[in-house]
Amino acid sequence: MSQLPTVVDVGRVAGVSRQTVSNVLNSPGLVKPATRERVEAAIAQLGYRPHASARRLRTQKSSTLGIRLDPMQNGISGAVLDRFLHALTEKADQRGLRVMLFTALDPEDEIRQFKRLRDGADVDAFVLTATFHGDPRTEWLIENNVPFVTFGRPWGIDDMNDPRHLWVDVDGWSGLHEATGHLLGEGRLRIAYLGWPRPSGTGDDRRRGWRDAMESDGRLSAAELDALDLSTVDGVAQGREALQALLDSGTPVDAVVCASDSLALGALLAVGADIPVIGYDNTPVAEAVGLSSVEQPLDEVAAGALELLLGPTGGEIVGWSSSSTDPRHRLVTPHLVMRERSAITGVR
Amino acid sequence: MSQLPTVVDVGRVAGVSRQTVSNVLNSPGLVKPATRERVEAAIAQLGYRPHASARRLRTQKSSTLGIRLDPMQNGISGAVLDRFLHALTEKADQRGLRVMLFTALDPEDEIRQFKRLRDGADVDAFVLTATFHGDPRTEWLIENNVPFVTFGRPWGIDDMNDPRHLWVDVDGWSGLHEATGHLLGEGRLRIAYLGWPRPSGTGDDRRRGWRDAMESDGRLSAAELDALDLSTVDGVAQGREALQALLDSGTPVDAVVCASDSLALGALLAVGADIPVIGYDNTPVAEAVGLSSVEQPLDEVAAGALELLLGPTGGEIVGWSSSSTDPRHRLVTPHLVMRERSAITGVR
DNA sequence: TACTGCTGTTTGATCGATCAAATTGCGGTG
DNA sequence: CACCGCAATTTGATCGATCAAACAGCAGTA
């Protein structure tokens, strides 16, 4: 007992050869229906499972994605990566792929890990998060012909449409545009934007969403908008200070939209309950304190990443050269989650 | 070019056979030093990496740990699991192990995944989080002789010392005991405990830490302690309400210690800036708002889990039957992180 | 009859490593 | 000098699957 069954065992029970069993699993179309049923019955009877390592050795494919787990994302928003990771694992599972983790100290070290995992045939594609301009990682992957997809668009103009660079991203512009529009629709006029210092790919994109919504509303002048456009590094205390400074300057504020939940929480502490604040990322904290926020549909992001990598249905990683008509990237639209702010309301 | 080098290639360059190369990698003691150096030079020159799948096929070991990524931990504290995951990945890397993720809908489904991953030789040990009394998962793993370790002690009395059940946990009693002691040392007397409803393994353990510290202080009666002992389901709003109710009842409170950062944040909102509050888990939120908290040393937990599984140094998973003198579990002591509460102070 | 074309199935070789057994070299001993 | 024991290294077999090519069976065609 106890020895796991192999294709040979299944073949013996079903009265066919190894290869036929293999065909039932991998190319069912080749096998006569009657035979296929017999084999399938034998598989069920023996509880046969293909031996992943043996298959990988032969096919030189691991059916595994590698993803770097960051040492600790910046404060509150780290949760976003984790939710993405979960969504990715789930979607990958559905396609028969596994997700393997690794850590790295810096981009160079990460490249070293790429090499290690690729050479050991541990993974056959990578999912990257948080790419930046002139990222050495994507360059290396492209040069070495390793399939990958990034969560986050490449912010350099050249890279953006490089067909070898697959990417998925959330449309921050749209998120802030919607949030701002919602507040305008509620009759708020002087809506401030609390974001990060320029230049910041994601940050500037979100800022643009706010600004465009405000400009198409048209009631505030460019100068007035400039006054409502705040920048500070991410953090609750920083957000609070930035907004406090604005209020102290005497500028009236009807509402605030933010580039992150950390900033939003800070803003909330500064403005109190009567002025609506909308954050970004819809982190657990936002939910906990009842803060409205822009939710990134990470399920869609994960599904999109896999679709770019594998095509709409497949479970085979073929690399960027598959079909030149396939889409190369996908922009996912976030949506607004409005809340009553019950937990913090009434604090002051 | 482009074909990855194999043991044969390395052997050719070094002027030895495959097996000698293999020995250099796996049993260096068998190889004459001079030969070993030649082989190592060849390995470096060719950039040789052993093919993980080939090795696994032969040895029937995957050098991979499986861990379930939960659908979304309860609110704020989800971050704890994520930090553990990171620590685990890092420590596993150091021992040449990989971490593979999977998802499951419920314990039964998780067992199905165990089977799948084990049969496919994808992983050879599992790390479980959040075990509960009479957990079918640990039972299945024990019965089927699959090595595993849990983060979280089994709360059933029988299971606690089952030598086949390896576990690591954080000493919540000690964490609350220290937090309470710290506040007592600062001259606070009427320290409330805000925790979860009984019965809760972790929750009751933490409560006991507070209670023991208060009792050995001795200045409050049992009845007074009972009045300061609060229970509510986890959440910011719930924590705030529970504490508000206590204050409304006229009971004076000098400080609050909590079973979670969510509850602590709620408490903080209820009591304001002058009364110190200490949370649990030291989540990013606690850091963001400047809340004191009990930090779980997840590095130690992860390292401990691997040590139980593999022994102090090894990279081989041997299962629970290794040596009967090895330790079966480990209790890690958390430590207090005190903060000034700069972000929330002054809100009221 | 012999030959072609097709479908369904089987056999031989292979992926890259390790295990187990065989082999070589060599100093020591009766 | 033949032989033993030991250390260092090599050779043959194997892990479980898939690929590539061969093969059997059968219909259609000349």
Side-chain angles (χ1 to χ4, degrees), chain B residues 17-20 31-32 35 57-58 60:
Chain B
S17 73
R18 334 184 280 285
Q19 185 61 29
T20 300
V31 183
K32 194 159 67 177
T35 317
L57 173 60
R58 189 67 247 244
Q60 303 288 20

Side-chain angles (χ1 to χ4, degrees), chain A residues 17-20 32 35 57-58 60:
Chain A
S17 71
R18 346 182 270 285
Q19 185 62 29
T20 299
K32 195 158 66 176
T35 316
L57 172 59
R58 186 65 245 239
Q60 303 289 19

